[in-house]
């Protein structure tokens, strides 16, 4: 739409009002949301006319033309009908074809009773018209009558259709203008029935105008229970300006804010919108934004796209858009994690691939904030997505809606199983290295005597002294300035508790950031009690690892626990080890030991 530069300009006010009214009309709404109306002095507008239309969907209007609202509505509808009726074709006699189309549109608008014919354009139609093609053939034989040259919007005897526009304005395939016009006619008929039945006040009632993405959302809610609950919880954003701001070529999803962005300029029909919306909903339902876990966000997005697109094609959900989406049959049956691992070996190639958002951009937007999710709604975002997918699967199976890919069913059911917490995994790690100590009977110290037999001393169960040899481990603490204090407290508290429970007598503590600081051996109960963090400088962990590996008083087989936030260089470790990281962070290299992520 044209930008209003002069607030008190009545001519511009009439033009803007006409644009708004024609955009709300059910017949022209699908066309107007995808076409571009240019209303400025730098455009190739007709100097002696009102407007011209190009094959790429541009409508160039005269910026200085004074007209009533009804007149501008007539002119804009005339241009939209050129697009919707497929008139922008190259013919043998382009002038005759343009005039034939203008006369046919004038008859159409006269029957529709839309707008008002401008004073410098013809309104009387004396010809018997069947269609524009028959009229064109008649003009080719008998010539063009002089009165027929006044029906165009570019001026007398001027072409109001530019069929050779070369400016490319759409990513992927060009819009199907005739299909959009058919959707508009269908909407108009539906709305007319609704008005006649008393369900709406006027045929232009906004409640009756549904775009293709809105119809796709309603389709999921009415007919596809697997994703219906998820679709109901997301808002559809179709603002072209917002999509341009976020560089969204076709679609994207913001799970945190519960919004699905659909760019109307992508030119998707109803079936393609169903496919694209199912794609975005599966991103949310399978929690791909949470499962990234420190991986490269874009490559993880691409890996998930491969999996989702294969499932949707197999399930025949909607129509696969032929716009270069990621689809590789050789990856069928693989998980997103497996595909990601393959992609890491050839990052340069996969970085050039395009998602629904565009080249080099992921369609999972991750800049949201959890504060947008209202806690008063009674459940968290993760719980909502999990419950929606599980209930959808249950309804899908109960209603016998067809078979689903086994991989998709496994992932949905896995959502119902809570993940093993990091501290439980850490406990298992301790169990692996520190098995329970065997107890033996000892007479070196007499235990308590029983009251019934006070003269009979009984042996005491004690741990074997040799069993304590080598039962220790090293703890390397990243004390750099970027390290969270709460993370350190949680990690040290868990280590202290598990070490005491497994009868570990001492642990070797080393603080490290810019340089290592050896705190020596500490009993487990003192680790979380009196430890004072040293440092808070930069992150260089390798000196601390070298120090403990070369220490003569540390067992050669003693394992290491490394607590870090992940912002460190590649480490060289020659003994068993494990990492404790914050949730969402990852190491810049492939870790050889297990990784425990603190929630």
């Amino acid at each position: 739409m044209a930008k209003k530069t002069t607030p008190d300009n009545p001519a511009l006010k009439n033009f803007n009002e006409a644009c708004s009214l024609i955009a709300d009309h059910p017949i022209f709404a699908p066309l107007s949301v995808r076409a571009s109306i240019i209303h400025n002095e730098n455009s190739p507008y007709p100097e002696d006319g009102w407007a011209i239309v190009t094959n790429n969907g541009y409508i160039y209007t005269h910026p200085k033309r004074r007209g009533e609202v009804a007149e501008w509505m007539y002119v804009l509808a005339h241009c939209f009908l050129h697009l919707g009726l497929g008139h922008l074709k190259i013919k043998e006699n382009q002038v005759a074809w343009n005039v034939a189309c203008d006369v046919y549109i004038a008859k159409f608008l006269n029957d529709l009773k839309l707008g008002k014919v401008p004073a410098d354009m013809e309104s009387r139609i004396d010809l018997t018209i069947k269609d524009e093609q028959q009229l064109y053939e008649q003009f080719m034989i008998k010539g063009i009558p002089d009165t027929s040259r006044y029906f165009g919007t570019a001026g007398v005897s001027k072409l109001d259709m530019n069929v050779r526009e070369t400016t490319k304005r759409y990513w992927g395939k060009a819009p199907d203008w005739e299909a959009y016009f058919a959707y508009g006619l269908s909407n108009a008929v539906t709305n007319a029935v609704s008005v006649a039945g008393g369900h709406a006040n006027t045929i232009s009632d906004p409640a009756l105008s549904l775009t293709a993405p809105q119809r796709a959302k309603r389709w999921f809610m009415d007919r596809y229970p697997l994703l219906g609950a998820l679709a109901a919880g997301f808002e559809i954003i179709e603002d072209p300006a917002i999509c341009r701001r976020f560089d969204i070529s076709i679609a994207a999803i913001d799970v945190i804010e519960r919004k699905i962005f659909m760019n109307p300029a992508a030119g998707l029909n109803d079936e393609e919108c169903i496919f694209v919306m199912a794609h975005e909903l599966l991103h949310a339902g399978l929690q791909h934004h949470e499962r990234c876990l420190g991986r490269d966000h874009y490559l993880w997005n691409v890996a998930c796209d491969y999996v989702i697109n294969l499932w949707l094609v197999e399930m025949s959900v909607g129509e696969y858009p032929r716009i270069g989406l990621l689809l590789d049959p050789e990856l069928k049956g693989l998980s997103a994690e497996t595909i990601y691992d393959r992609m890491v070996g050839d990052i340069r190639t996969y970085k050039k691939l395009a998602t629904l958002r565009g080249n080099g951009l992921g369609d999972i937007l991750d800049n949201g904030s959890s504060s947008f999710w209202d806690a008063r709604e009674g459940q968290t975002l993760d719980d909502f997505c999990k419950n929606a997918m599980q209930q959808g699967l249950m309804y899908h199976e109960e209603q016998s809606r067809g078979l689903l890919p086994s991989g998709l069913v496994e992932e949905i059911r896995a959502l119902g199983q809570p993940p093993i917490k990091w501290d439980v995994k850490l406990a298992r790690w301790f169990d692996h290295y520190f098995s329970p100590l065997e107890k033996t009977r000892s007479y070196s110290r007499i235990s308590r005597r029983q009251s019934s037999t006070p003269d009979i001393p009984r042996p005491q169960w004690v741990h074997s002294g040799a069993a304590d040899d080598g039962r220790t481990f090293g703890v390397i603490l990243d004390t750099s300035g970027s390290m969270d204090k709460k993370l350190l407290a949680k990690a040290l508290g868990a280590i202290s508790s598990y070490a005491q429970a497994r009868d570990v007598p001492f642990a070797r503590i080393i603080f490290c950031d810019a340089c290592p600081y050896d705190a020596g051996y500490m009993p487990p109960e003192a680790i979380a009690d009196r430890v004072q963090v040293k440092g808070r400088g930069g992150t260089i962990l390798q000196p601390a690892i070298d120090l403990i590996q070369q220490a003569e008083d540390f067992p050669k087989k003693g394992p290491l626990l490394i607590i870090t936030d992940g912002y460190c260089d590649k480490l060289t470790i020659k003994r068993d080890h494990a990492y404790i990281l914050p949730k969402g962070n990852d190491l810049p290299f492939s870790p050889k030991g297990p990784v425990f992520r603190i929630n």
Side-chain angles (χ1 to χ4, degrees), residues 74 106 117-125 147-152:
Y74 182 93
V117 182
D120 56 349
M121 293 176 61
E122 183 61 61
S123 60
R124 295 171 300 173
I125 303 174
T147 56
S148 299
R149 299 178 182 272
Y150 292 85
F151 288 99

Side-chain angles (χ1 to χ4, degrees), residues 225-227 387-399 404 408-413:
L226 180 66
L227 300 175
N387 294 337
M389 290 299 293
Q390 291 167 14
Q391 292 176 7
L393 177 62
M394 180 181 65
Y395 294 147
H396 189 97
E397 293 176 343
E398 287 179 353
Q399 300 176 17
L404 298 173
L408 175 59
V409 175
E410 289 178 3
E411 288 207 18
I412 295 175
R413 288 178 175 167

Side-chain angles (χ1 to χ4, degrees), residues 26 187 190-192 194-195 199-210:
N187 288 340
T190 303
N191 295 356
S194 299
V195 172
H199 299 290
N201 297 325
T202 63
I203 194 172
S204 60
D205 192 329
L208 299 175
S209 301
L210 293 179

Side-chain angles (χ1 to χ4, degrees), residues 477 492 509 511 519 522-523 526-534:
L477 291 141
L492 290 175
I509 309 297
F511 303 104
M522 290 186 178
I527 292 178
D529 184 23
R530 297 194 301 269
V531 169
Q532 294 182 354
V533 175
K534 304 287 185 178

Side-chain angles (χ1 to χ4, degrees), residues 14-169:
N14 289 344
F15 173 79
N16 289 333
E17 185 176 351
C19 290
S20 299
L21 291 174
I22 202 72
D24 292 335
H25 196 283
I27 292 180
F28 300 104
L31 291 167
S32 64
V33 77
R34 293 168 174 86
S36 294
I37 301 175
I38 310 300
H39 192 70
N40 60 61
E41 298 182 3
N42 297 323
S43 65
Y45 61 88
E47 295 183 359
D48 300 326
W50 291 77
I52 61 173
V53 60
T54 72
N55 56 311
N56 285 333
Y58 284 107
I59 298 177
Y60 298 105
T61 56
H62 198 305
K64 298 181 180 180
R65 173 71 66 173
R66 292 180 177 271
E68 300 177 9
V69 174
E71 290 177 330
W72 275 117
M73 287 184 65
Y74 182 93
V75 171
L76 294 174
H78 185 107
C79 294
F80 283 135
L81 286 173
H82 276 315
L83 291 170
L85 295 173
H87 289 169
L88 287 106
K89 303 175 182 177
I90 298 177
K91 294 285 187 175
E92 179 182 354
N93 189 332
Q94 201 67 39
V95 176
W97 171 250
N98 203 138
V99 173
C101 294
D102 288 339
V103 175
Y104 182 80
I105 288 177
K107 179 67 167 60
F108 186 97
L109 292 176
N110 182 65
D111 296 338
L112 189 61
K113 308 298 182 184
L114 177 67
K116 175 184 176 182
V117 182
D120 56 349
M121 293 176 61
E122 183 61 61
S123 60
R124 295 171 300 173
I125 303 174
D126 300 328
L127 300 174
T128 302
I129 301 173
K130 182 178 180 181
D131 57 39
E132 56 269 62
Q133 181 63 34
Q134 184 184 36
L135 195 58
Y136 169 67
E137 294 172 357
Q138 182 179 333
F139 288 165
M140 291 289 287
I141 297 173
K142 299 182 180 180
I144 305 173
D146 290 338
T147 56
S148 299
R149 299 178 182 272
Y150 292 85
F151 288 99
T153 59
V156 181
S157 300
K158 299 290 182 63
L159 302 182
D160 60 1
M161 293 191 297
N162 182 354
V163 298
R164 293 182 171 86
E165 176 75 14
T166 58
T167 304
K168 187 175 181 181
R169 61 190 296 271

